[in-house]
Amino acid sequence: MEDVVTEFDVQGLELDWVCVTWDADFRYSKTGWQHRSFVGDRWNMVKKEERKVYLKNAYRVLLTRARQGMVIVVPEGIRMIQPEVRYFTIRHSNTLNP
């Protein structure tokens, strides 16, 4: 890994390879996407529509920078919070293997 950057640093860039670490702030559930914010010692639901749009767009920016390939890292803690992420990780990890 050469540089660690945020969505602000990569706007407008095209990179050969990108590694995105998915956080628990933007989760998918049976009812759709959940937008969360970590405050103090817990996750809270984001209620303002403008903050929800901002969070979704932050991930959109990060997920659209790669030209050749991308690795998405889902930390173990998120898989424990959200079992469907574990399913996604296992199901789609084979696409990374030749």
Side-chain angles (χ1 to χ4, degrees):
M1 182 177 340
E2 290 184 29
D3 295 303
V4 176
V5 295
T6 68
E7 70 273 14
F8 302 109
D9 298 317
V10 297
Q11 275 186 324
L13 293 179
E14 288 185 357
L15 305 168
D16 291 335
W17 290 91
V18 174
C19 177
V20 175
T21 302
W22 204 277
D23 199 0
D25 58 351
F26 195 51
R27 308 174 189 181
Y28 191 76
S29 70
K30 293 177 184 175
T31 59
W33 289 100
Q34 295 180 351
H35 305 76
R36 296 181 181 246
S37 175
F38 193 78
V39 178
D41 61 354
R42 67 178 160 214
W43 288 100
N44 297 307
M45 297 297 288
V46 172
K47 297 179 182 172
K48 291 185 179 180
E49 193 59 35
E50 63 191 31
R51 287 189 59 214
K52 289 179 181 182
V53 170
Y54 176 85
L55 183 57
K56 181 175 83 171
N57 284 337
Y59 277 93
R60 182 190 53 79
V61 167
L62 294 171
L63 294 171
T64 57
R65 300 300 101 189
R67 292 187 301 186
Q68 292 183 354
M70 173 180 293
V71 173
I72 300 173
V73 177
V74 180
E76 187 67 34
I78 296 172
R79 290 184 288 216
M80 291 174 6
I81 294 169
Q82 194 173 351
E84 51 276 340
V85 171
R86 182 164 173 73
Y87 167 78
F88 177 84
T89 305
I90 292 169
R91 177 138 169 80
H92 296 284
S93 64
N94 292 335
T95 60
L96 300 177
N97 297 326

XYZ file of all heavy atoms in Angstrom:
827
model
N 0.853 -1.154 0.000
C 0.000 0.000 0.000
C 0.907 1.227 0.000
O 1.809 1.344 0.801
C -0.907 -0.017 1.225
C -1.848 1.137 1.239
S -3.051 1.200 2.609
C -3.145 -0.419 3.244
N 0.626 2.127 -0.918
C 1.437 3.337 -1.003
C 0.868 4.469 -0.184
O 1.570 5.108 0.583
C 1.576 3.763 -2.456
C 2.449 2.824 -3.258
C 2.642 3.317 -4.664
O 2.604 4.545 -4.883
O 2.836 2.481 -5.536
N -0.412 4.784 -0.338
C -1.019 5.920 0.344
C -2.407 5.565 0.863
O -3.149 4.844 0.207
C -1.160 7.113 -0.605
C 0.183 7.654 -1.040
O 0.976 8.015 -0.157
O 0.440 7.713 -2.256
N -2.730 6.099 2.002
C -4.080 5.976 2.548
C -4.741 7.335 2.384
O -4.188 8.358 2.778
C -4.031 5.578 4.040
C -5.430 5.545 4.627
C -3.335 4.243 4.203
N -5.939 7.338 1.765
C -6.626 8.606 1.504
C -8.125 8.463 1.775
O -8.644 7.366 1.870
C -6.409 9.086 0.047
C -4.945 9.410 -0.201
C -6.907 8.075 -0.942
N -8.790 9.589 1.856
C -10.242 9.609 2.036
C -10.897 9.916 0.697
O -10.226 10.150 -0.306
C -10.652 10.698 3.044
O -10.381 11.974 2.461
C -9.918 10.544 4.360
N -12.231 9.970 0.714
C -12.956 10.288 -0.520
C -12.624 11.684 -1.026
O -12.709 11.965 -2.218
C -14.472 10.124 -0.326
C -15.128 11.145 0.568
C -15.110 10.807 2.036
O -14.370 9.910 2.464
O -15.850 11.448 2.796
N -12.199 12.570 -0.141
C -11.847 13.931 -0.555
C -10.549 13.942 -1.366
O -10.404 14.708 -2.309
C -11.687 14.855 0.657
C -12.919 14.916 1.506
C -12.942 14.324 2.753
C -14.067 15.549 1.042
C -14.084 14.376 3.536
C -15.214 15.605 1.813
C -15.216 15.010 3.071
N -9.615 13.082 -0.990
C -8.320 13.036 -1.660
C -8.385 12.386 -3.036
O -7.552 12.674 -3.893
C -7.303 12.282 -0.800
C -7.057 12.959 0.537
O -6.922 14.193 0.555
O -7.019 12.243 1.550
N -9.341 11.494 -3.263
C -9.372 10.755 -4.522
C -10.383 11.293 -5.531
O -10.462 10.782 -6.641
C -9.632 9.245 -4.303
C -8.522 8.620 -3.509
C -10.971 8.991 -3.679
N -11.135 12.305 -5.169
C -12.094 12.848 -6.125
C -11.361 13.319 -7.373
O -10.383 14.057 -7.298
C -12.875 14.007 -5.508
C -14.050 13.542 -4.722
C -14.904 14.703 -4.248
O -14.406 15.754 -3.904
N -16.199 14.479 -4.215
N -11.844 12.873 -8.509
C -11.256 13.270 -9.775
C -10.079 12.416 -10.218
O -9.591 12.569 -11.327
N -9.603 11.515 -9.382
C -8.467 10.660 -9.738
C -8.946 9.340 -10.320
O -10.010 8.847 -9.990
C -7.619 10.348 -8.505
C -6.866 11.484 -7.853
C -6.110 10.952 -6.639
C -5.898 12.123 -8.832
N -8.115 8.772 -11.176
C -8.292 7.395 -11.617
C -7.035 6.660 -11.209
O -5.927 7.056 -11.563
C -8.490 7.324 -13.132
C -9.821 7.844 -13.586
C -10.029 7.651 -15.078
O -9.104 7.159 -15.749
O -11.112 7.985 -15.557
N -7.204 5.605 -10.443
C -6.080 4.843 -9.919
C -6.086 3.451 -10.530
O -7.144 2.906 -10.838
C -6.182 4.758 -8.399
C -6.298 6.118 -7.694
C -6.685 5.928 -6.237
C -4.997 6.880 -7.818
N -4.903 2.862 -10.691
C -4.844 1.514 -11.253
C -5.525 0.507 -10.332
O -6.404 -0.224 -10.745
C -3.396 1.102 -11.503
C -2.760 1.892 -12.628
O -3.505 2.388 -13.498
O -1.534 2.025 -12.634
N -5.097 0.476 -9.090
C -5.632 -0.472 -8.126
C -6.097 0.271 -6.878
O -5.435 1.196 -6.439
C -4.579 -1.503 -7.729
C -4.276 -2.426 -8.854
C -3.304 -2.267 -9.801
C -4.955 -3.619 -9.195
N -3.343 -3.289 -10.697
C -4.339 -4.145 -10.349
C -6.025 -4.302 -8.623
C -4.772 -5.316 -10.937
C -6.445 -5.476 -9.219
C -5.819 -5.969 -10.361
N -7.209 -0.155 -6.314
C -7.769 0.497 -5.137
C -8.131 -0.563 -4.109
O -8.629 -1.629 -4.453
C -9.040 1.306 -5.513
C -9.712 1.873 -4.279
C -8.695 2.409 -6.499
N -7.869 -0.248 -2.847
C -8.308 -1.088 -1.729
C -9.219 -0.222 -0.858
O -8.795 0.821 -0.363
C -7.113 -1.587 -0.927
S -7.587 -2.554 0.517
N -10.466 -0.634 -0.724
C -11.442 0.107 0.077
C -11.768 -0.712 1.320
O -12.103 -1.885 1.220
C -12.743 0.378 -0.716
C -13.794 1.036 0.169
C -12.455 1.225 -1.937
N -11.651 -0.084 2.483
C -12.058 -0.729 3.728
C -13.468 -0.252 4.065
O -13.699 0.933 4.231
C -11.095 -0.377 4.877
O -9.779 -0.777 4.498
C -11.496 -1.096 6.152
N -14.389 -1.212 4.099
C -15.793 -0.895 4.356
C -15.997 -0.740 5.857
O -15.574 -1.578 6.635
C -16.682 -2.021 3.842
C -18.064 -1.551 3.552
C -19.074 -1.412 4.447
C -18.582 -1.147 2.289
N -20.203 -0.951 3.819
C -19.920 -0.779 2.483
C -18.029 -1.071 1.013
C -20.723 -0.336 1.449
C -18.829 -0.640 -0.011
C -20.156 -0.277 0.208
N -16.652 0.323 6.263
C -16.896 0.563 7.675
C -18.339 0.208 8.012
O -19.157 -0.039 7.130
C -16.605 2.031 8.007
C -16.390 2.281 9.487
O -16.468 1.316 10.284
O -16.148 3.434 9.853
N -18.666 0.204 9.283
C -20.020 -0.141 9.727
C -20.980 1.034 9.606
O -22.135 0.933 9.997
C -19.982 -0.638 11.170
N -20.523 2.147 9.047
C -21.397 3.314 8.929
C -22.392 3.213 7.777
O -23.385 3.920 7.740
C -20.577 4.602 8.799
C -19.633 4.595 7.620
O -19.466 3.546 6.968
O -19.036 5.650 7.363
N -22.154 2.304 6.847
C -23.035 2.133 5.685
C -23.265 0.637 5.526
O -22.467 -0.073 4.945
C -22.366 2.748 4.455
C -23.272 2.962 3.281
C -24.475 3.631 3.411
C -22.901 2.522 2.030
C -25.300 3.850 2.310
C -23.707 2.736 0.929
C -24.903 3.397 1.064
N -24.365 0.164 6.096
C -24.636 -1.271 6.168
C -25.845 -1.636 5.329
O -26.794 -0.882 5.227
C -24.962 -1.680 7.600
C -23.988 -1.249 8.624
C -24.507 -1.601 9.998
N -23.682 -1.018 11.037
C -23.903 -1.184 12.315
N -24.923 -1.882 12.721
N -23.108 -0.630 13.195
N -25.815 -2.838 4.794
C -26.975 -3.334 4.060
C -27.710 -4.339 4.921
O -27.109 -5.214 5.529
C -26.551 -3.985 2.745
C -27.734 -4.270 1.858
C -28.357 -3.245 1.170
C -28.246 -5.544 1.750
C -29.460 -3.480 0.375
C -29.353 -5.791 0.951
C -29.950 -4.761 0.275
O -31.053 -4.988 -0.511
N -29.023 -4.209 4.989
C -29.844 -5.136 5.762
C -31.004 -5.612 4.885
O -31.129 -5.203 3.737
C -30.383 -4.455 7.016
O -31.345 -3.486 6.662
N -31.846 -6.421 5.446
C -33.003 -6.936 4.709
C -33.952 -5.820 4.276
O -34.687 -5.971 3.317
C -33.750 -7.958 5.559
C -32.948 -9.217 5.798
C -33.674 -10.174 6.707
C -32.785 -11.372 6.989
N -33.367 -12.287 7.946
N -33.928 -4.700 4.986
C -34.814 -3.579 4.653
C -34.141 -2.525 3.781
O -34.751 -1.531 3.437
C -35.323 -2.898 5.940
O -34.198 -2.426 6.688
C -36.134 -3.866 6.788
N -32.874 -2.736 3.420
C -32.150 -1.782 2.582
C -30.927 -1.237 3.292
O -30.491 -1.771 4.306
N -30.367 -0.164 2.767
C -29.161 0.428 3.331
C -29.457 1.153 4.622
O -30.447 1.857 4.729
C -28.520 1.390 2.332
C -27.903 0.672 1.186
C -28.429 0.504 -0.050
C -26.646 0.000 1.187
N -27.572 -0.242 -0.829
C -26.474 -0.561 -0.088
C -25.653 -0.189 2.149
C -25.335 -1.296 -0.437
C -24.526 -0.921 1.804
C -24.383 -1.461 0.526
N -28.581 0.968 5.597
C -28.659 1.674 6.869
C -27.494 2.650 6.946
O -26.362 2.289 6.652
C -28.582 0.705 8.044
C -29.747 -0.237 8.133
C -29.601 -1.167 9.321
O -28.575 -1.216 9.980
N -30.649 -1.924 9.586
N -27.779 3.856 7.336
C -26.765 4.908 7.467
C -26.544 5.145 8.954
O -27.493 5.450 9.670
C -27.246 6.188 6.797
C -27.644 5.991 5.373
N -28.827 5.388 5.005
C -27.003 6.305 4.241
C -28.896 5.348 3.689
N -27.804 5.900 3.195
N -25.291 5.022 9.398
C -25.008 5.142 10.823
C -23.837 6.080 11.073
O -23.020 6.313 10.193
C -24.725 3.786 11.434
C -25.944 2.887 11.368
C -25.659 1.550 11.993
N -26.823 0.700 11.897
C -27.514 0.288 12.937
N -27.167 0.629 14.150
N -28.560 -0.488 12.766
N -23.766 6.565 12.292
C -22.694 7.451 12.722
C -22.233 6.991 14.097
O -23.059 6.712 14.960
C -23.210 8.885 12.778
O -22.223 9.741 13.289
N -20.917 6.905 14.285
C -20.384 6.477 15.574
C -20.181 7.696 16.458
O -19.418 8.601 16.136
C -19.057 5.739 15.393
C -18.622 5.003 16.619
C -19.192 3.792 16.950
C -17.651 5.536 17.449
C -18.792 3.109 18.089
C -17.248 4.866 18.585
C -17.822 3.650 18.910
N -20.902 7.728 17.569
C -20.823 8.850 18.503
C -20.600 8.287 19.900
O -21.384 7.444 20.354
C -22.110 9.707 18.476
C -22.021 10.841 19.479
C -22.378 10.244 17.081
N -19.561 8.756 20.569
C -19.273 8.264 21.919
C -18.831 6.823 21.894
O -17.762 6.501 21.399
N -19.692 5.928 22.373
C -19.343 4.510 22.420
C -20.343 3.621 21.672
O -20.427 2.429 21.912
C -19.224 4.048 23.876
C -20.529 4.218 24.650
O -21.488 4.803 24.099
O -20.587 3.756 25.801
N -21.126 4.210 20.746
C -22.122 3.393 20.027
C -22.456 3.971 18.654
O -22.199 5.129 18.356
C -23.386 3.258 20.853
C -24.109 4.560 21.012
C -25.387 4.403 21.785
N -25.729 5.720 22.281
C -26.311 5.949 23.399
N -26.652 4.964 24.176
N -26.591 7.180 23.775
N -23.057 3.105 17.843
C -23.524 3.497 16.522
C -24.934 4.057 16.639
O -25.783 3.469 17.300
C -23.535 2.295 15.577
C -22.168 1.865 15.183
C -21.456 0.819 15.712
C -21.336 2.461 14.198
N -20.236 0.743 15.104
C -20.129 1.732 14.166
C -21.486 3.548 13.339
C -19.092 2.045 13.315
C -20.443 3.861 12.481
C -19.273 3.117 12.475
N -25.184 5.183 15.979
C -26.513 5.802 15.951
C -26.999 5.873 14.507
O -26.196 6.024 13.587
C -26.454 7.219 16.529
C -26.036 7.226 17.974
O -26.621 6.529 18.782
N -25.011 7.988 18.293
N -28.301 5.796 14.343
C -28.885 5.917 13.010
C -28.790 7.366 12.533
O -29.038 8.285 13.308
C -30.348 5.474 13.020
C -30.557 4.020 13.369
S -29.829 2.869 12.196
C -30.931 3.082 10.826
N -28.436 7.556 11.272
C -28.440 8.893 10.668
C -29.860 9.161 10.204
O -30.442 8.358 9.482
C -27.445 8.968 9.490
C -27.592 10.275 8.747
C -26.023 8.765 9.984
N -30.417 10.283 10.587
C -31.809 10.585 10.253
C -31.951 11.644 9.174
O -32.906 11.613 8.401
C -32.560 11.008 11.517
C -32.623 9.887 12.534
C -33.338 10.278 13.783
C -33.318 9.111 14.755
N -33.820 9.456 16.052
N -31.024 12.577 9.097
C -31.124 13.646 8.101
C -30.821 13.104 6.710
O -29.800 12.461 6.485
C -30.156 14.778 8.424
C -30.521 15.549 9.660
C -29.581 16.721 9.850
C -29.964 17.511 11.080
N -29.055 18.650 11.283
N -31.724 13.389 5.786
C -31.581 12.885 4.420
C -30.290 13.373 3.752
O -29.640 12.620 3.044
C -32.802 13.289 3.587
C -32.892 12.565 2.271
C -32.975 11.046 2.413
O -33.589 10.555 3.374
O -32.416 10.359 1.540
N -29.905 14.604 4.004
C -28.680 15.140 3.381
C -27.431 14.409 3.870
O -26.500 14.201 3.099
C -28.552 16.635 3.624
C -28.403 17.016 5.086
C -28.540 18.508 5.331
O -29.284 19.170 4.598
O -27.892 18.993 6.267
N -27.418 13.989 5.120
C -26.282 13.214 5.638
C -26.265 11.801 5.055
O -25.213 11.229 4.814
C -26.311 13.172 7.159
C -25.922 14.513 7.767
C -25.717 14.459 9.258
N -24.681 13.505 9.618
C -24.706 12.772 10.737
N -25.688 12.889 11.595
N -23.728 11.920 10.998
N -27.454 11.228 4.820
C -27.536 9.912 4.188
C -26.984 9.964 2.768
O -26.226 9.083 2.348
C -28.986 9.418 4.167
C -29.524 9.037 5.521
C -30.964 8.576 5.395
C -31.554 8.199 6.728
N -32.934 7.707 6.610
N -27.369 10.985 2.035
C -26.879 11.150 0.658
C -25.367 11.351 0.655
O -24.647 10.766 -0.156
C -27.601 12.333 -0.035
C -26.948 12.672 -1.361
C -29.075 12.011 -0.224
N -24.864 12.146 1.580
C -23.437 12.398 1.683
C -22.666 11.098 1.935
O -21.656 10.825 1.288
C -23.161 13.400 2.811
C -21.707 13.645 3.046
C -21.015 14.584 2.294
C -21.010 12.925 4.015
C -19.668 14.804 2.498
C -19.670 13.138 4.220
C -19.001 14.079 3.466
O -17.664 14.263 3.672
N -23.157 10.268 2.860
C -22.494 9.011 3.187
C -22.480 8.071 1.986
O -21.453 7.474 1.658
C -23.183 8.354 4.380
C -22.566 7.072 4.897
C -21.110 7.268 5.298
C -23.373 6.557 6.076
N -23.615 7.957 1.315
C -23.688 7.101 0.127
C -22.722 7.597 -0.946
O -22.007 6.812 -1.564
C -25.110 7.077 -0.420
C -25.263 6.194 -1.648
C -26.697 6.105 -2.087
C -27.045 7.298 -2.929
N -28.357 7.190 -3.572
N -22.664 8.887 -1.154
C -21.771 9.446 -2.169
C -20.302 9.268 -1.810
O -19.460 9.111 -2.699
C -22.090 10.914 -2.426
C -23.328 11.079 -3.270
O -23.716 10.177 -4.005
N -23.959 12.224 -3.155
N -19.974 9.278 -0.515
C -18.587 9.046 -0.099
C -18.139 7.657 -0.553
O -17.037 7.492 -1.103
C -18.453 9.195 1.413
N -18.981 6.651 -0.350
C -18.641 5.298 -0.807
C -18.639 5.224 -2.329
O -17.801 4.543 -2.927
C -19.588 4.262 -0.202
C -19.165 3.860 1.187
C -19.676 4.505 2.302
C -18.228 2.859 1.387
C -19.270 4.153 3.582
C -17.814 2.493 2.654
C -18.338 3.145 3.745
O -17.936 2.798 5.001
N -19.559 5.910 -2.978
C -19.594 5.913 -4.444
C -18.278 6.438 -5.003
O -17.709 5.856 -5.925
C -20.754 6.764 -4.957
C -20.867 6.775 -6.481
C -21.864 7.805 -6.968
N -21.617 9.145 -6.451
C -20.687 9.974 -6.934
N -19.908 9.609 -7.915
N -20.541 11.184 -6.407
N -17.773 7.514 -4.436
C -16.502 8.081 -4.892
C -15.381 7.061 -4.717
O -14.595 6.813 -5.636
C -16.174 9.387 -4.129
C -14.734 9.817 -4.362
C -17.126 10.497 -4.542
N -15.305 6.448 -3.543
C -14.236 5.484 -3.282
C -14.332 4.252 -4.183
O -13.314 3.710 -4.619
C -14.264 5.060 -1.810
C -13.924 6.155 -0.807
C -14.207 5.675 0.608
C -12.478 6.597 -0.950
N -15.558 3.823 -4.474
C -15.746 2.596 -5.255
C -15.647 2.807 -6.764
O -15.734 1.843 -7.521
C -17.104 1.972 -4.913
C -17.230 1.454 -3.479
C -18.669 1.067 -3.180
C -16.304 0.275 -3.252
N -15.457 4.029 -7.212
C -15.388 4.276 -8.658
C -14.037 4.830 -9.092
O -13.932 5.418 -10.153
C -16.500 5.262 -9.092
O -16.368 6.477 -8.353
C -17.873 4.662 -8.883
N -12.987 4.637 -8.316
C -11.671 5.185 -8.653
C -10.779 4.208 -9.398
O -9.820 4.602 -10.029
C -10.924 5.649 -7.395
C -11.635 6.729 -6.606
C -11.851 7.978 -7.431
N -13.230 7.994 -7.906
C -13.713 8.843 -8.784
N -12.959 9.753 -9.322
N -14.954 8.788 -9.178
N -11.039 2.919 -9.322
C -10.128 1.905 -9.859
C -10.306 1.707 -11.355
O -11.421 1.666 -11.859
C -10.342 0.583 -9.137
N -9.173 1.580 -12.063
C -9.213 1.286 -13.500
C -8.966 -0.189 -13.775
O -9.539 -0.763 -14.686
C -8.167 2.110 -14.240
C -8.488 3.586 -14.237
C -7.549 4.353 -15.103
N -6.171 4.166 -14.636
C -5.122 4.797 -15.127
N -5.278 5.657 -16.103
N -3.922 4.583 -14.656
N -8.083 -0.821 -13.006
C -7.732 -2.209 -13.279
C -8.359 -3.198 -12.303
O -8.711 -4.298 -12.676
C -6.218 -2.386 -13.266
C -5.544 -1.689 -14.421
C -4.056 -1.952 -14.429
O -3.503 -2.567 -13.520
N -3.389 -1.488 -15.463
N -8.465 -2.801 -11.037
C -9.022 -3.729 -10.070
C -9.204 -3.096 -8.711
O -8.693 -2.018 -8.439
N -9.940 -3.808 -7.882
C -10.263 -3.287 -6.560
C -10.357 -4.434 -5.562
O -10.823 -5.524 -5.899
C -11.604 -2.562 -6.602
C -12.117 -2.125 -5.247
S -13.696 -1.291 -5.367
C -13.193 0.169 -6.237
N -9.935 -4.152 -4.346
C -10.112 -5.074 -3.231
C -10.961 -4.339 -2.210
O -10.670 -3.196 -1.854
C -8.756 -5.473 -2.604
C -8.963 -6.302 -1.349
C -7.896 -6.203 -3.623
N -12.025 -4.996 -1.749
C -12.871 -4.418 -0.706
C -12.640 -5.243 0.553
O -12.864 -6.447 0.567
C -14.357 -4.436 -1.095
C -14.569 -3.621 -2.377
C -15.217 -3.896 0.038
C -15.964 -3.695 -2.940
N -12.181 -4.582 1.613
C -11.896 -5.244 2.881
C -13.059 -4.985 3.828
O -13.437 -3.836 4.052
C -10.589 -4.703 3.497
C -10.327 -5.336 4.851
C -9.424 -4.919 2.547
N -13.610 -6.065 4.368
C -14.678 -5.956 5.358
C -14.109 -6.489 6.668
O -13.910 -7.693 6.810
C -15.926 -6.762 4.946
C -17.020 -6.627 5.988
C -16.409 -6.314 3.576
N -13.806 -5.610 7.629
C -13.216 -6.056 8.896
C -14.091 -7.061 9.625
O -15.321 -7.034 9.511
C -13.083 -4.766 9.700
C -13.051 -3.684 8.673
C -13.946 -4.159 7.563
N -13.455 -7.926 10.393
C -14.149 -8.991 11.122
C -15.258 -8.448 12.012
O -16.321 -9.035 12.099
C -13.154 -9.784 11.976
C -13.750 -11.011 12.623
C -14.136 -12.085 11.626
O -13.457 -12.240 10.610
O -15.135 -12.775 11.871
N -15.055 -7.333 12.669
C -16.069 -6.771 13.558
C -17.374 -6.469 12.847
O -18.450 -6.654 13.401
N -17.314 -6.019 11.611
C -18.529 -5.716 10.853
C -19.268 -7.000 10.519
O -20.484 -7.061 10.567
C -18.192 -4.923 9.580
C -17.615 -3.576 9.969
C -19.429 -4.752 8.697
C -17.082 -2.786 8.814
N -18.544 -8.059 10.218
C -19.203 -9.325 9.911
C -19.915 -9.880 11.136
O -20.919 -10.558 11.024
C -18.199 -10.320 9.353
C -17.751 -9.928 7.965
C -16.847 -10.955 7.405
N -15.577 -10.872 8.096
C -14.414 -11.070 7.530
N -14.334 -11.384 6.266
N -13.300 -10.979 8.220
N -19.393 -9.585 12.340
C -20.074 -10.043 13.549
C -21.336 -9.230 13.793
O -22.347 -9.754 14.229
C -19.129 -9.942 14.752
C -18.009 -10.953 14.671
S -16.715 -10.877 15.925
C -17.208 -9.678 17.085
N -21.309 -7.938 13.483
C -22.478 -7.078 13.647
C -23.541 -7.446 12.628
O -24.723 -7.444 12.900
C -22.092 -5.587 13.430
C -21.145 -5.116 14.521
C -23.322 -4.697 13.355
C -20.523 -3.759 14.232
N -23.109 -7.788 11.437
C -23.999 -7.919 10.302
C -23.732 -9.244 9.582
O -22.890 -9.330 8.712
C -23.703 -6.735 9.392
C -24.669 -6.472 8.342
C -24.303 -5.175 7.648
O -23.439 -4.433 8.055
N -24.964 -4.916 6.565
N -24.441 -10.319 9.924
C -24.171 -11.640 9.351
C -24.233 -11.694 7.826
O -23.514 -12.459 7.206
C -25.253 -12.529 9.971
C -25.737 -11.790 11.159
C -25.527 -10.332 10.874
N -25.095 -10.880 7.192
C -25.192 -10.950 5.735
C -23.904 -10.489 5.047
O -23.624 -10.872 3.922
C -26.396 -10.187 5.191
C -26.559 -8.775 5.657
C -27.263 -8.658 7.000
O -27.952 -9.568 7.447
O -27.099 -7.609 7.621
N -23.070 -9.696 5.730
C -21.783 -9.300 5.149
C -20.878 -10.513 5.071
O -20.149 -10.700 4.117
C -21.125 -8.160 5.971
C -19.711 -7.904 5.502
C -21.955 -6.898 5.853
N -20.925 -11.364 6.077
C -20.125 -12.596 6.050
C -20.515 -13.441 4.834
O -19.676 -13.957 4.137
C -20.302 -13.373 7.349
C -19.469 -14.631 7.386
C -19.363 -15.160 8.809
N -18.713 -16.435 8.860
C -17.426 -16.643 8.677
N -16.632 -15.643 8.407
N -16.919 -17.847 8.750
N -21.801 -13.568 4.580
C -22.270 -14.315 3.412
C -21.707 -13.701 2.141
O -21.176 -14.383 1.283
C -23.800 -14.318 3.374
C -24.349 -14.789 2.055
C -24.384 -16.148 1.755
C -24.797 -13.880 1.102
C -24.872 -16.585 0.535
C -25.286 -14.316 -0.114
C -25.322 -15.658 -0.398
O -25.791 -16.086 -1.602
N -21.793 -12.385 2.020
C -21.282 -11.700 0.830
C -19.792 -11.949 0.673
O -19.312 -12.255 -0.406
C -21.560 -10.202 0.923
C -20.992 -9.427 -0.224
C -21.692 -9.330 -1.411
C -19.763 -8.812 -0.121
C -21.173 -8.627 -2.477
C -19.235 -8.111 -1.185
C -19.938 -8.018 -2.361
N -19.047 -11.839 1.757
C -17.600 -12.001 1.714
C -17.236 -13.414 1.268
O -16.388 -13.599 0.400
C -16.986 -11.697 3.091
O -17.403 -10.407 3.489
C -15.478 -11.752 3.038
N -17.873 -14.413 1.855
C -17.572 -15.802 1.496
C -18.005 -16.088 0.064
O -17.278 -16.667 -0.720
C -18.260 -16.769 2.477
C -17.612 -16.633 3.856
C -18.178 -18.198 1.977
C -18.374 -17.336 4.944
N -19.189 -15.667 -0.280
C -19.735 -15.958 -1.609
C -18.913 -15.332 -2.722
O -18.720 -15.930 -3.761
C -21.176 -15.455 -1.680
C -21.822 -15.620 -3.020
C -23.239 -16.102 -2.858
N -23.976 -16.046 -4.086
C -23.890 -16.945 -5.057
N -23.069 -17.954 -4.946
N -24.628 -16.833 -6.146
N -18.420 -14.136 -2.507
C -17.738 -13.435 -3.574
C -16.218 -13.462 -3.475
O -15.541 -12.959 -4.362
C -18.237 -11.982 -3.633
C -19.698 -11.921 -3.991
N -20.132 -12.118 -5.266
C -20.794 -11.773 -3.225
C -21.457 -12.047 -5.290
N -21.879 -11.844 -4.062
N -15.670 -14.079 -2.430
C -14.213 -14.116 -2.296
C -13.584 -14.977 -3.388
O -12.447 -14.745 -3.771
C -13.815 -14.615 -0.918
O -14.232 -15.949 -0.741
N -14.326 -15.942 -3.921
C -13.777 -16.800 -4.969
C -13.495 -16.030 -6.253
O -12.678 -16.447 -7.061
C -14.719 -17.961 -5.274
C -14.777 -18.923 -4.106
O -13.848 -18.994 -3.313
N -15.871 -19.633 -3.990
N -14.146 -14.899 -6.459
C -13.907 -14.142 -7.670
C -12.512 -13.511 -7.667
O -12.006 -13.126 -8.701
C -14.959 -13.021 -7.852
O -14.891 -12.140 -6.742
C -16.344 -13.605 -7.991
N -11.867 -13.438 -6.502
C -10.526 -12.876 -6.416
C -9.464 -13.918 -6.687
O -8.318 -13.578 -6.960
C -10.298 -12.269 -5.026
C -11.246 -11.149 -4.636
C -10.944 -10.704 -3.202
C -11.095 -9.969 -5.566
N -9.826 -15.197 -6.593
C -8.838 -16.260 -6.803
C -8.821 -16.667 -8.272
O -9.851 -16.827 -8.905
C -9.191 -17.473 -5.945
C -9.129 -17.137 -4.480
O -8.315 -16.337 -4.052
N -10.004 -17.745 -3.700
N -7.626 -16.869 -8.822
C -7.551 -17.302 -10.242
C -8.061 -18.713 -10.437
O -8.152 -19.498 -9.560
C -6.068 -17.209 -10.565
C -5.340 -16.974 -9.289
C -6.339 -16.642 -8.231
